[in-house]
Coordinates of all heavy atoms in Angstrom, one line a residue:
C228 N 37.2 9.6 7.0 CA 37.4 10.7 6.0 C 37.0 10.2 4.6 O 36.8 11.1 3.7 CB 38.9 11.1 5.9 SG 40.0 9.9 5.4
Q229 N 36.7 8.9 4.3 CA 36.3 8.4 3.0 C 34.8 8.1 3.0 O 34.3 7.6 2.0 CB 37.1 7.2 2.6 CG 38.6 7.6 2.4 CD 39.4 6.4 2.0 OE1 39.0 5.3 2.1 NE2 40.6 6.7 1.5
R230 N 34.1 8.2 4.1 CA 32.7 7.8 4.2 C 31.9 8.9 3.6 O 32.3 10.0 3.5 CB 32.3 7.6 5.7 CG 33.0 6.4 6.3 CD 32.5 6.3 7.8 NE 33.3 5.3 8.4 CZ 33.3 5.0 9.7 NH1 32.4 5.7 10.5 NH2 34.0 4.1 10.2
P231 N 30.6 8.5 3.2 CA 29.7 9.5 2.6 C 29.2 10.4 3.7 O 29.5 10.3 4.9 CB 28.6 8.7 2.0 CG 28.6 7.4 2.9 CD 30.0 7.2 3.3
S232 N 28.3 11.4 3.3 CA 27.7 12.3 4.3 C 26.9 11.5 5.4 O 26.6 10.3 5.1 CB 26.7 13.2 3.6 OG 25.6 12.4 3.1
L233 N 26.7 12.1 6.5 CA 25.9 11.4 7.5 C 24.5 11.1 7.0 O 24.0 10.0 7.4 CB 25.9 12.3 8.8 CG 27.2 12.5 9.5 CD1 27.0 13.4 10.7 CD2 27.7 11.1 10.0
A234 N 23.9 11.9 6.2 CA 22.6 11.6 5.7 C 22.6 10.4 4.8 O 21.8 9.5 4.9 CB 22.1 12.8 4.9
M235 N 23.7 10.2 4.0 CA 23.8 9.0 3.2 C 24.1 7.8 4.0 O 23.6 6.7 3.8 CB 24.9 9.2 2.1 CG 25.0 8.0 1.2 SD 23.5 7.6 0.2 CE 23.6 8.8 -1.1
Q236 N 25.0 8.0 5.0 CA 25.2 6.9 6.0 C 24.0 6.4 6.6 O 23.8 5.1 6.8 CB 26.2 7.3 7.0 CG 27.7 7.5 6.5 CD 28.6 7.8 7.6 OE1 28.6 7.2 8.7 NE2 29.4 8.9 7.4
D237 N 23.1 7.3 6.9 CA 21.8 6.9 7.6 C 21.0 6.0 6.6 O 20.5 4.9 7.0 CB 21.0 8.1 7.9 CG 19.7 7.8 8.6 OD1 19.7 7.1 9.6 OD2 18.6 8.2 8.1
W238 N 21.0 6.3 5.3 CA 20.3 5.5 4.3 C 21.0 4.2 4.1 O 20.4 3.1 3.9 CB 20.1 6.2 3.0 CG 19.0 7.3 3.1 CD1 19.1 8.5 3.6 CD2 17.6 7.1 2.7 NE1 17.9 9.1 3.5 CE2 17.0 8.3 3.0 CE3 16.9 6.0 2.2 CZ2 15.6 8.4 2.7 CZ3 15.6 6.2 1.9 CH2 14.9 7.4 2.2
L239 N 22.3 4.2 4.1 CA 23.1 3.0 3.8 C 22.9 1.9 4.9 O 22.9 0.7 4.6 CB 24.6 3.3 3.6 CG 25.0 4.0 2.3 CD1 26.4 4.6 2.4 CD2 24.8 3.1 1.1
T240 N 22.8 2.4 6.1 CA 22.9 1.5 7.3 C 21.5 1.1 7.8 O 21.4 0.3 8.7 CB 23.8 2.0 8.4 OG1 23.2 3.3 8.8 CG2 25.2 2.2 7.9
D241 N 20.4 1.7 7.3 CA 19.1 1.5 7.8 C 18.7 0.0 7.5 O 18.7 -0.4 6.3 CB 18.1 2.5 7.2 CG 16.7 2.3 7.7 OD1 16.5 1.6 8.7 OD2 15.8 3.0 7.2
S242 N 18.3 -0.7 8.5 CA 18.0 -2.1 8.3 C 16.5 -2.3 8.0 O 16.1 -3.5 7.8 CB 18.4 -3.0 9.5 OG 17.7 -2.5 10.7
G243 N 15.7 -1.3 8.0 CA 14.3 -1.4 7.7 C 14.1 -1.5 6.2 O 15.0 -1.7 5.4
S244 N 12.9 -1.4 5.7 CA 12.5 -1.5 4.3 C 12.9 -0.2 3.6 O 12.3 0.8 3.9 CB 11.0 -1.7 4.2 OG 10.6 -1.6 2.9
L245 N 13.8 -0.4 2.6 CA 14.2 0.8 1.8 C 12.9 1.2 1.0 O 12.7 2.4 0.8 CB 15.3 0.4 0.9 CG 15.8 1.5 -0.1 CD1 16.3 2.7 0.7 CD2 16.8 1.0 -1.0
T246 N 12.2 0.3 0.5 CA 11.0 0.6 -0.3 C 10.0 1.5 0.5 O 9.6 2.6 0.0 CB 10.2 -0.7 -0.7 OG1 11.1 -1.5 -1.5 CG2 8.9 -0.3 -1.5
A247 N 9.7 1.1 1.7 CA 8.8 2.0 2.6 C 9.4 3.3 2.8 O 8.7 4.4 2.8 CB 8.6 1.2 3.9
R248 N 10.7 3.4 3.0 CA 11.4 4.7 3.3 C 11.4 5.6 2.0 O 11.2 6.8 2.1 CB 12.8 4.4 3.8 CG 13.4 5.6 4.5 CD 14.6 5.3 5.3 NE 15.1 6.5 5.9 CZ 16.3 6.7 6.3 NH1 17.2 5.7 6.3 NH2 16.7 7.9 6.7
L249 N 11.6 5.0 0.9 CA 11.6 5.7 -0.4 C 10.1 6.2 -0.7 O 10.0 7.4 -1.2 CB 12.1 4.9 -1.5 CG 13.6 4.6 -1.5 CD1 13.9 3.6 -2.6 CD2 14.4 5.9 -1.7
I250 N 9.2 5.4 -0.4 CA 7.8 5.9 -0.6 C 7.5 7.1 0.3 O 6.9 8.1 -0.1 CB 6.8 4.7 -0.3 CG1 6.9 3.6 -1.4 CG2 5.3 5.2 -0.2 CD1 6.2 2.3 -1.1
A251 N 7.9 7.0 1.6 CA 7.7 8.2 2.5 C 8.5 9.4 2.0 O 8.0 10.5 2.0 CB 8.1 7.8 3.9
Q252 N 9.7 9.2 1.5 CA 10.6 10.3 1.1 C 10.0 11.0 -0.1 O 10.2 12.2 -0.3 CB 12.0 9.8 0.8 CG 13.0 10.8 0.4 CD 13.6 11.6 1.6 OE1 13.3 11.3 2.8 NE2 14.4 12.5 1.3
S253 N 9.3 10.2 -1.0 CA 8.7 10.8 -2.2 C 7.3 11.1 -2.1 O 6.6 11.4 -3.0 CB 8.9 9.8 -3.3 OG 8.1 8.6 -3.1
S254 N 6.8 11.1 -0.8 CA 5.3 11.4 -0.6 C 4.4 10.6 -1.4 O 3.4 11.0 -2.0 CB 5.0 12.9 -0.8 OG 5.8 13.7 0.0
G255 N 4.8 9.3 -1.6 CA 4.0 8.3 -2.3 C 4.2 8.4 -3.8 O 3.7 7.6 -4.6
Q256 N 5.1 9.3 -4.3 CA 5.4 9.3 -5.8 C 6.5 8.4 -6.1 O 7.6 8.8 -6.4 CB 5.8 10.8 -6.1 CG 4.7 11.8 -5.9 CD 3.4 11.5 -6.7 OE1 3.5 11.4 -7.9 NE2 2.3 11.4 -6.1
F257 N 6.2 7.1 -6.0 CA 7.2 6.0 -6.1 C 6.8 5.0 -7.2 O 5.6 4.7 -7.3 CB 7.3 5.3 -4.7 CG 8.2 4.1 -4.7 CD1 9.6 4.3 -4.6 CD2 7.7 2.9 -4.9 CE1 10.5 3.2 -4.6 CE2 8.6 1.7 -4.9 CZ 9.9 1.9 -4.7

């Protein structure tokens, strides 16, 4: 009941490159 949204949990627990994921999320506007 104290955890963030499932979408935020997905970002918090992803063990891949956050940089690569942010680049994709921003369509390269990073």
